[in-house]
Amino acid sequence: MSLIRVPKGTRDIWGEEIYLWHKVEEVVRSVAYSFQYEEIRTPIFESTELFARGVGEVTDIVQKEMYTFPDKGGRSLTLRPEGTAPIMRAYLEHGLNISNPRVKWFYMGPMFRYERPQAGRMRQFHQFGFEAIGFPQAACDAEIILIAWLVSKKLGLENLSLEINNLGCNKCRDEYVKTLQDFLKGEGDNLCANCKIRAEKNPLRVLDCKEETCQKVIHSPAFPLVQDFLCEECREHQDDLMEILRELDISFSINPYLVRGLDYYTRTAFEIKTGELGAQDAVAGGGRYDNLSSALGGPPVPGVGFAAGMERMILLLAKKYDPSSLKKQSLFYLAPLDVSGEKALLKLASFLGDRTIPFYLEFGDKRVKYHLKKAQKMGINTVIIAGKEEKERGELVWKDMVSGEQISMKEEELLAKLLEERKKC
Ligand SMILES: [Zn+2]
Ligand SMILES: [Zn+2]
């Protein structure tokens, strides 16, 4: 029989790499705690309709990349491709728009997109994100940007830069979209096949196109830019945001081509990039989504948030940290010489475990030499040895790997010494 392997586009996260994940998770949690964003955990799968409505029918995610399947009851379910639509679903489902309209949430976990796997792009990937729902203020956009900035900084990412744009509101966006549509119609065969369809159904998507022909069109001088169509309120919103960012000492630039891949964005869109991997690479992106609630059948509710890919962060962190340096080192190696040694050391394990003191317990009837070699390899300085002979004397053996000193002692004495030793670390 051939061995079973993980599905294409997925992988096991294990070994020393896991300490890098813990590091990212720790930083995310600590910033969330500081800003008092509470964690929310939504299901891994949702009704397909949630993403069709909340992400947009004419997006690559919904058209090509979703893991959609019928369950045994004939419902169409989808593994979540992103975190914001589920969070707005939860907000509306729990009636928070009425009982507690202003919430600050964060999330962390796996997302799923059926993409061609390549370096750094997996079909099961991980994101964390922060969402502030119920706040229309530009200052709240600034808080979200500040959080994304701080998390990146606390992870040690350097050469950070921020790009912002404003996608307009329900008042001014229609005129821009119409102008854009007319312009794209005139470009006809200069657009790729996909963009010809996008130009009709969702012309903003054209700005995301990587095809060379479309890039040429987008960067032609006559191409209409959303910044020239903003209404007074949108302009003011952007001015407020820029003023706060300057006060926060977060340097930024306006990128009028930045639209983000999802449908529900209004006003602020932003991306944080790092120059660490050579080219400027986005590490976090987000924006305002005042139309998302309505798209899901709810009342108008303002919201703003960002998401960041954890695989990308891990890749960057791996260049900075030796993951083994992030591992919590075992203090004690418990070395049984036989079955009676195992029993004595399990008693000791219970004592240490009760006090959350890290140790490594071996099993079997290996000789002392084996244990000392292994303890040395693991970088553990104290080895506790127990076997039949020690049991007959009612003692255990303490071996200090640094000084080479070896002392046989009664259990109570040894427990006291263990606690003493822990204090030193
Ligand atoms: Zn507007
Ligand atoms: Zn195109």
Side-chain angles (χ1 to χ4, degrees), residues 125-384:
F125 59 102
H126 298 75
Q127 285 187 336
F128 65 85
F130 286 69
E131 315 282 358
I133 304 177
F135 304 89
Q137 298 83 359
C140 193
D141 302 16
E143 181 179 76
I144 283 290
I145 291 172
L146 177 61
I147 289 173
W149 190 264
L150 271 179
V151 170
S152 309
K153 235 175 67 179
K154 277 176 182 276
L155 286 170
L157 304 187
E158 284 159 38
N159 299 325
L160 292 176
S161 63
L162 168 67
E163 290 181 358
I164 62 168
N165 194 15
N166 190 311
L167 305 182
C169 65
N170 294 339
K171 219 168 92 186
C172 57
R173 191 169 170 162
D174 283 356
E175 201 202 328
Y176 171 62
V177 171
K178 211 185 152 297
T179 308
L180 182 59
Q181 223 156 17
D182 289 345
F183 177 86
L184 292 173
K185 232 176 254 164
E187 288 297 319
D189 287 339
N190 294 332
L191 296 173
C192 74
N194 271 335
C195 283
K196 275 184 200 152
I197 301 167
R198 288 178 183 138
E200 291 268 320
K201 294 189 169 165
N202 192 346
L204 277 176
R205 283 291 81 72
V206 175
L207 278 98
D208 283 335
C209 187
K210 301 278 180 286
E211 296 287 332
E212 204 182 319
T213 51
C214 298
Q215 279 295 317
K216 231 178 182 169
V217 170
I218 295 161
H219 291 281
S220 67
F223 188 81
L225 293 171
V226 65
Q227 286 282 332
D228 299 323
F229 289 79
L230 298 180
C231 67
E232 206 173 310
E233 287 96 327
C234 284
R235 171 101 13 236
E236 226 169 82
H237 190 94
Q238 178 164 295
D239 288 344
D240 284 350
L241 174 62
M242 292 195 298
E243 195 185 317
I244 300 168
L245 290 174
R246 278 186 207 107
E247 296 213 357
L248 290 172
D249 256 339
I250 297 177
S251 61
F252 63 89
S253 58
I254 293 180
N255 175 356
Y257 301 98
L258 175 69
V259 294
R260 315 269 314 141
L262 311 181
D263 256 7
Y264 46 65
Y265 283 98
T266 52
R267 289 196 171 153
T268 307
F270 73 90
E271 249 173 32
I272 291 178
K273 295 183 171 179
T274 170
E276 298 234 356
L277 293 176
Q280 286 285 308
D281 248 315
V283 288
R288 182 160 277 287
Y289 45 86
D290 294 351
N291 283 339
L292 177 56
S293 173
S294 318
L296 298 181
V301 174
V304 58
F306 79 90
M310 295 174 79
E311 274 79 1
R312 174 69 56 82
M313 299 260 178
I314 300 296
L315 215 62
L316 291 165
L317 274 193
K319 294 188 188 297
K320 297 187 170 288
Y321 294 96
D322 168 11
S324 65
S325 71
L326 299 169
K327 180 181 184 234
K328 291 228 164 48
Q329 180 66 38
S330 293
L331 294 182
F332 306 110
Y333 180 107
L334 311 188
L337 303 178
D338 47 40
V339 177
S340 80
E342 285 174 346
K343 285 180 190 159
L345 291 173
L346 268 166
K347 237 181 111 189
L348 199 58
S350 160
F351 176 86
L352 293 169
D354 219 13
R355 287 158 183 78
T356 329
I357 300 171
F359 62 89
Y360 175 77
L361 171 58
E362 185 56 87
F363 295 101
D365 53 1
K366 299 283 187 201
R367 294 165 50 188
V368 174
K369 208 172 142 195
Y370 168 90
H371 291 302
L372 297 186
K373 224 171 149 182
K374 185 158 178 182
Q376 192 177 33
K377 209 171 151 201
M378 293 173 77
I380 303 175
N381 289 336
T382 307
V383 179
I384 314 295

